[in-house]
Amino acid sequence: MKIYSSPLCPDCTFAKGVLQTQKITDYELVEVTESMKNLREFIYFREANSRAFDPIRPKQAIGLPCFVLDDGRITFDVFDALGIDAGDLVGKTCDDC
């Protein structure tokens, strides 16, 4: 799984906390605000996959966090990316989240 993220994004921070709580470490993290190279990569990816981003455009959202699953599917929800129900984590979330 590849994750486009930013430390400036509260949803990204939450998602990273969920990944940590679930002990998920097998992913590639691209921090889009870390460098121009990473930002260009994300913008190119977003434009090349514009249909996946259509549902979030009316919200004027950037599209972070963005999870690119191994099968190529794109989601913006950490629970969907992990295939778990958010209710399964009640009482099990990270203390830092």
Side-chain angles (χ1 to χ4, degrees):
M1 169 169 56
K2 181 181 243 185
I3 304 169
Y4 290 100
S5 177
S6 170
L8 305 174
C9 166
D11 291 338
C12 296
T13 302
F14 173 78
K16 288 180 209 170
V18 171
L19 293 167
Q20 179 182 354
T21 300
Q22 296 297 300
K23 300 183 181 353
I24 306 294
T25 58
D26 187 23
Y27 59 88
E28 177 186 353
L29 182 66
V30 179
E31 295 284 9
V32 300
T33 53
E34 183 178 86
S35 69
M36 290 303 291
K37 176 186 173 283
N38 291 356
L39 180 58
R40 268 192 300 273
E41 177 184 329
F42 175 68
I43 290 171
Y44 178 81
F45 175 80
R46 189 176 63 180
E47 294 306 311
N49 296 280
S50 64
R51 284 189 179 190
F53 288 81
D54 284 348
I56 63 164
R57 289 188 204 286
K59 300 175 191 174
Q60 297 182 339
I62 295 169
L64 298 176
C66 178
F67 302 89
V68 184
L69 307 184
D70 292 339
D71 65 3
R73 194 167 60 89
I74 299 168
T75 183
F76 306 99
D77 183 278
V78 66
F79 301 112
D80 183 35
L82 299 178
I84 59 176
D85 187 298
D88 292 343
L89 297 182
V90 174
K92 299 179 187 174
T93 55
C94 172
D95 293 335
D96 297 330
C97 300

